[in-house]
Structures are given as structure tokens and as C-alpha cells.
Amino acid sequence: MVTCLANSNYPQQLNVSPDRLEKNPWNSNIVSPENEEKLDEAVRRMGFFKPIVVREIPSSDKFQILGGEHRWEASTRVGLEEVPIFNLGPIDDVKAKEISLADNARYGSDDELQLAVILEDIGESDTISSFLPYTNADITSIFAASDIALDDLEIDEEPQEIAASQEESTPKPAKTHTVMRFKVPLGDAERITELISRTQKIHGYTSADEMTNAGDALVHLLMPQGQEENAE
């Protein structure tokens, strides 16, 4: 058993005024002004669903933030009277820094095809980019499924078995598209995304969902007429 905290009275989950929280002096995590606006919108849209991780400050009724500094700043900007905290107690500086780094780190990475499905369920690019940390270019790139292995090609097909009761019901519309997964070199990803986005706008590939629009634009670029236009 690993003991991380000072004693068995901790951790404590509390709701406190944002005024009782203070920054730590070593936080290396920086948020751009654009993402600060998105964070504010996220707090307004979804509330405070994740507590701020803190430690106690000796001889003070205040707490030092170990994880969640930017969400705390957002809470003050949007005028919250209380925020949830996870108080780890009077832990030492080394343990506090370890927890800060672990809280800011991201240990995994996204399966971009699965991420694209999740984002598509949430809404349009403009909606997603208003409160999540993605730009429109990021979302276009994700929807274009450009981060997947060509040497491990996967094609998602509809299930072949259909129950008898479903066969008798109204037939589904004919399938017109499939999802293809492939990787592209990092140095080319930005240019490919830009070309797909520009082709969507120029040729009006905007009527379907984002993945279909991007795929139609990519097909246009790969066809002879698209190659001729791109060469001009």
C-alpha cells in the first residue's frame, strides 16, 4: 500500500469561495487567451464537474492549487461564488510538485477515428471549437481521418446480418461512403488539411456531415480534375 497523504483525515472534498484559493509558484502549464475564452464557455456550458486539487497552507485558511489553476481563473471570470476542491492536506513541496505535474500531464492519446465519432455526436465545428480545446483546422484534420495507418488499412462496413423483422421494415438508404484510415507524414499533414478545407469551400462540399464533406473533397483532389486544379 502506498501512502501519499499526510494522515487519514485527508483527502477532503469541499466547496469553497474562489477567494480562498492561491496559485502555486511553479505551474508550467500555459493557456492561450483564445483557450481561456473556450474554458470560460466550458464552465458556463457544463459547470464545474471536476474539483480543483489543493493542499493546505500552514497558518492560513487558504489553499494552494496543485491542479486546476486555469479552471479556477475561469471560475472567477464567470463569477462563480463557490468551486469544488479536493484537499490533500498539508503535504510537502516535493509531493505537491509531483501531483501538479501528474495532473497537467496526459498519459494517453486519441484514436482519431473514435474521436471523430464523438465530436460528430456533439455538433458542428463552430460549436465544438467554442468550448473544447480544438481549432477548426484540428477538427477538419480529425474528421478527415488523416492519422491512421495505411499499412494497417481498416474499412468499416455495415453488419451483414439483418434480422428478419428488419428485412421486412422500410429499407435503409443505400450506403454511399465508407471510413478509411491512414497515416500521413507530419510535415505534410497541415498542407493536406488546408487543401481539403479549401476544396470543401471552393466546390461546395458542405451539405453532409464533416467527415463526408472532407472525404468528398479529398476524392475531388485525387481525381484528374482535382490534380489539374492543384497543379495550377
Side-chain angles (χ1 to χ4, degrees):
M1 180 177 178
V2 178
T3 302
C4 296
L5 306 177
N7 61 56
S8 59
N9 294 325
Y10 301 97
Q12 301 170 336
Q13 189 154 343
L14 309 167
N15 289 325
V16 301
S17 166
D19 294 339
R20 292 185 62 189
L21 304 184
E22 294 182 353
K23 300 179 181 181
N24 69 63
W26 62 77
N27 187 8
S28 59
N29 186 265
I30 299 172
V31 172
S32 68
E34 179 184 5
N35 278 342
E36 283 184 351
E37 293 179 7
K38 293 184 180 187
L39 192 50
D40 292 353
E41 179 60 24
V43 171
R44 283 190 287 261
R45 183 186 183 98
M46 298 177 289
F48 236 88
F49 57 83
K50 182 181 179 183
I52 299 169
V53 180
V54 303
R55 68 169 174 171
E56 293 180 356
I57 301 174
S59 304
S60 173
D61 67 343
K62 293 194 172 186
F63 302 93
Q64 186 179 73
I65 299 170
L66 306 182
E69 177 182 311
H70 301 298
R71 288 181 290 113
W72 165 67
E73 290 175 333
S75 76
T76 63
R77 289 193 296 266
V78 303
L80 295 186
E81 296 182 359
E82 283 190 334
V83 293
I85 65 169
F86 199 66
N87 175 25
L88 302 182
I91 60 177
D92 62 43
D93 287 351
V94 172
K95 185 63 64 180
K97 291 176 181 178
E98 290 174 355
I99 291 169
S100 290
L101 291 174
D103 185 83
N104 282 327
R106 191 177 185 199
Y107 292 98
S109 59
D110 291 306
D111 177 315
E112 291 206 1
L113 181 61
Q114 183 64 28
L115 178 59
V117 172
I118 295 170
L119 294 179
E120 191 174 27
D121 287 341
I122 292 174
E124 299 296 326
S125 295
D126 289 344
T127 300
I128 294 168
S129 62
S130 71
F131 70 98
L132 290 179
Y134 302 105
T135 64
N136 283 327
D138 292 332
I139 297 167
T140 298
S141 178
I142 292 166
F143 283 156
S146 62
D147 186 23
I148 328 174
L150 185 60
D151 58 356
D152 187 25
L153 188 65
E154 298 178 10
I155 301 178
D156 293 343
E157 298 290 350
E158 294 290 341
Q160 297 299 312
E161 296 182 2
I162 303 175
S165 59
Q166 291 179 316
E167 290 179 345
E168 295 173 0
S169 62
T170 304
K172 294 181 179 179
K175 185 176 179 181
T176 60
H177 291 72
T178 190
V179 177
M180 299 183 66
R181 308 185 68 190
F182 54 91
K183 280 184 180 177
V184 297
L186 286 174
D188 296 323
E190 185 175 351
R191 181 168 181 266
I192 291 171
T193 300
E194 181 184 345
L195 284 171
I196 289 173
S197 180
R198 187 172 65 191
T199 303
Q200 283 182 254
K201 294 176 182 177
I202 293 174
H203 296 280
Y205 295 119
T206 58
S207 60
D209 60 272
E210 291 286 351
M211 287 186 73
T212 301
N213 291 336
D216 287 343
L218 178 60
V219 170
H220 181 97
L221 285 167
L222 294 174
M223 293 298 101
Q225 71 273 16
Q227 295 173 14
E228 291 172 3
E229 293 169 3
N230 196 34
E232 292 176 357

